[in-house]
Amino acid sequence: MVYLPKNIKSYALFFALLSIFIASFILGLHNASLYKPKHGFDGEGHVFYIEYINQYKKLPAANLGWETHQSPLYYILGATLMQFSHTSKTAQYMNIFILWATIGVVAISLHKVFKNYRQVFVGVLALAALPMLNIFPPMVTNELLSLFWIISCVVAILFLVSVTDEKKFLIYSIWFTLSFALGFWTKVSIIMILPVSISGYVLVFIRKKIRVSTYFTILIGVILVISIVSAPILLRSKDAKGPSNIVKVITTKPYHHSPDFYYRLDWIPKVDMYNTQYYSLIGGAWNSFWSDGHNAVTPFVKFHKKAFILWCLGFVLLPTCLYGLLKLKKYGKNEALLINILGVSMLLIYIYYNVLSGHYSAARLTYEMGIILTYAFGLASAARNKWVEKILLLLLTIQFTVMVSFFWILPWWFVTR
């Protein structure tokens, strides 16, 4: 009598997840089929990169185009697929798979920490419904592949801090090394996860479960492999006009924003869901997270009911996430510490980048998307309480449904031309 209801709940959870996956996949396929590749964030530059590799069978010079300074892995994959399809649109379809590969890796880490499928489901649904992630699948962009490697690295570190034997320490270090190296070959911005990565290895040393000689041998190996594999990318940047992106970030003088840029909240009473990135650090981040605030997919409308619903849900989901993060230490102090270091470091990097840059795109959280792992863990942790879980499932279901409806591209939208 006890076994049957438990089974029914398991099947219900599986079919709910399957339904979300199918709906998300259909949304991605539909949008990619209509979305013109040269739209999006610097889409024309990304397309040029792929088409150049496909045509000439070599990498372009780092200063040849708007995006050719970027690491080449995503573009090599796009050009390889283009051999079969003869169109750069294939790179758009590739991003649909990368999105769910990323969510899948997050799910693995959620299960490791929580050991509860319902909490895992809440975390997965939180990401599947997140507007910030769903603006990227129809575009030609390396952002999602870069995010995949970032998440893979951090999840490897989460596994690493709980090891009690040297074999697993080696296995998870190899996982981390490969993810970081491939991430560097996708986008140099993977260096942003160094704070959480270093913290993870420090925690392993402090726990003293691994012999010191073995620990340092593997750690030196990790550093050497990453350095050797990353060297060609750094050397390639010498071909670019001017300093590399890394040097620019380190040496750029601060941009003189108006002081209120860092704290103004007048976008809330104005219900500004689209323009805040031009004048507010907080509002820009908020809208890039909860709606298509940069007009990358949806038509620009001063007020949109569906966007307003997504925007409002954030005012409930964010504090719930923060509450969950405070309770996360119950599931493991080391894991909680790393997840919170990831979130705080992403926010500090976000602020630092805005201090350096006056460009409106700096105020979106695109470059610090690793923070989605912290978000998923926060909501999954909060879902330990049954009533909170029910409320979250309701809100996230509404968010997912509205997001799919809002992002469903119509033939007359500007992104189809």
Side-chain angles (χ1 to χ4, degrees):
M1 295 295 292
V2 176
Y3 179 74
L4 184 59
K6 188 176 180 180
N7 233 359
I8 291 173
K9 288 181 180 179
S10 298
Y11 279 117
L13 204 61
F14 170 77
F15 283 112
L17 180 60
L18 182 63
S19 299
I20 291 165
F21 172 78
I22 292 172
S24 175
F25 215 79
I26 291 173
L27 174 68
L29 289 173
H30 168 81
N31 283 356
S33 67
L34 290 178
Y35 199 94
K36 292 299 180 184
K38 294 184 180 181
H39 280 294
F41 302 123
D42 302 321
E44 190 169 351
H46 295 299
V47 171
F48 172 80
Y49 202 157
I50 290 173
E51 291 180 343
Y52 184 95
I53 296 174
N54 176 67
Q55 182 177 354
Y56 297 103
K57 305 299 184 290
K58 65 177 183 179
L59 297 181
N63 62 356
L64 187 62
W66 177 248
E67 290 291 337
T68 53
H69 67 279
Q70 297 270 14
S71 302
L73 182 59
Y74 172 78
Y75 307 97
I76 293 172
L77 292 174
T80 302
L81 292 172
M82 195 175 171
Q83 293 289 316
F84 304 98
S85 64
H86 306 293
T87 173
S88 57
K89 283 190 70 66
T90 314
Q92 296 170 261
Y93 295 109
M94 180 171 67
N95 280 332
I96 305 168
F97 294 91
I98 295 172
L99 170 64
W100 274 93
T102 303
I103 295 175
V105 175
V106 173
I108 292 171
S109 65
L110 290 169
H111 184 260
K112 178 195 179 300
V113 172
F114 297 112
K115 307 292 191 301
N116 182 303
Y117 284 107
R118 295 183 70 84
Q119 286 175 280
V120 173
F121 179 76
V122 169
V124 168
L125 179 56
L127 297 190
L130 193 61
M132 177 187 187
L133 282 180
N134 285 279
I135 62 174
F136 290 105
M139 301 179 192
V140 177
T141 177
N142 58 355
E143 296 292 352
L144 274 182
L145 186 59
S146 175
L147 175 64
F148 173 78
W149 297 122
I150 286 172
I151 296 299
S152 183
C153 281
V154 179
V155 172
I157 292 295
L158 286 176
F159 276 80
L160 195 74
V161 294
S162 62
V163 296
T164 55
D165 64 82
E166 294 170 357
K167 182 180 178 182
K168 287 185 178 179
F169 180 63
L170 175 62
I171 291 171
Y172 297 143
S173 290
I174 292 173
W175 176 3
F176 170 78
T177 302
L178 290 175
S179 297
F180 195 96
L182 290 169
F184 204 88
W185 269 72
T186 302
K187 196 166 185 178
V188 177
S189 57
I190 196 169
I191 62 172
M192 290 191 296
I193 64 166
L194 284 178
V196 70
S197 303
I198 294 170
S199 299
Y201 273 95
V202 170
L203 286 172
V204 172
F205 183 77
I206 292 172
R207 291 181 72 235
K208 297 180 179 179
K209 298 292 184 180
I210 309 297
R211 284 182 299 176
V212 174
S213 58
T214 304
Y215 173 85
F216 281 106
T217 299
I218 294 175
L219 180 59
I220 291 170
V222 169
I223 295 171
L224 281 175
V225 171
I226 289 175
S227 299
I228 293 169
V229 174
S230 302
I233 303 301
L234 294 175
L235 292 172
R236 183 174 179 271
S237 67
K238 288 185 177 181
D239 295 332
K241 294 177 181 178
S244 68
N245 282 358
I246 297 175
V247 174
K248 285 179 183 177
V249 169
I250 296 172
T251 60
T252 301
K253 293 181 180 179
Y255 180 85
H256 295 292
H257 285 287
S258 171
D260 65 353
F261 172 81
Y262 297 99
Y263 60 79
R264 64 188 295 176
L265 298 173
D266 55 324
W267 47 272
I268 297 177
K270 286 194 298 187
V271 195
D272 186 353
M273 298 173 284
Y274 294 98
N275 291 304
T276 55
Q277 68 268 22
Y278 290 99
Y279 60 82
S280 170
L281 178 143
I282 301 173
W286 185 271
N287 285 296
S288 70
F289 211 73
W290 304 108
S291 68
D292 179 20
H294 280 69
N295 192 32
V297 177
T298 58
F300 186 87
V301 181
K302 189 174 181 180
F303 179 86
H304 197 295
K305 292 179 181 178
K306 292 175 183 176
F308 179 69
I309 293 171
L310 296 173
W311 193 75
C312 288
L313 286 171
F315 290 100
V316 180
L317 293 172
L318 180 61
T320 307
C321 171
L322 296 176
Y323 164 78
L325 292 173
L326 291 174
K327 299 294 182 181
L328 190 56
K329 62 182 179 181
K330 294 181 179 179
Y331 298 95
K333 291 182 179 179
N334 289 337
E335 289 83 354
L337 179 61
L338 291 175
I339 289 297
N340 282 288
I341 286 174
L342 176 66
V344 171
S345 63
M346 289 295 106
L347 287 174
L348 290 176
I349 290 168
Y350 171 70
I351 294 170
Y352 179 62
Y353 187 46
N354 277 273
V355 168
L356 295 181
S357 174
H359 197 276
Y360 74 92
S361 67
R364 70 176 191 256
L365 270 172
T366 300
Y367 307 113
E368 300 82 19
M369 276 202 297
I371 202 170
I372 67 164
L373 186 64
T374 302
Y375 172 66
F377 266 86
L379 290 186
S381 174
R384 180 183 185 182
N385 181 290
K386 294 298 181 183
W387 280 106
V388 174
E389 178 196 341
K390 291 177 181 178
I391 293 171
L392 281 175
L393 288 175
L394 174 62
L395 294 180
L396 291 172
T397 301
I398 293 171
Q399 185 184 34
F400 181 77
T401 304
V402 174
M403 183 277 299
V404 170
S405 175
F406 182 49
F407 283 2
W408 187 269
I409 294 175
L410 298 176
W412 56 268
W413 289 4
F414 74 101
V415 294
T416 65
R417 298 189 293 274

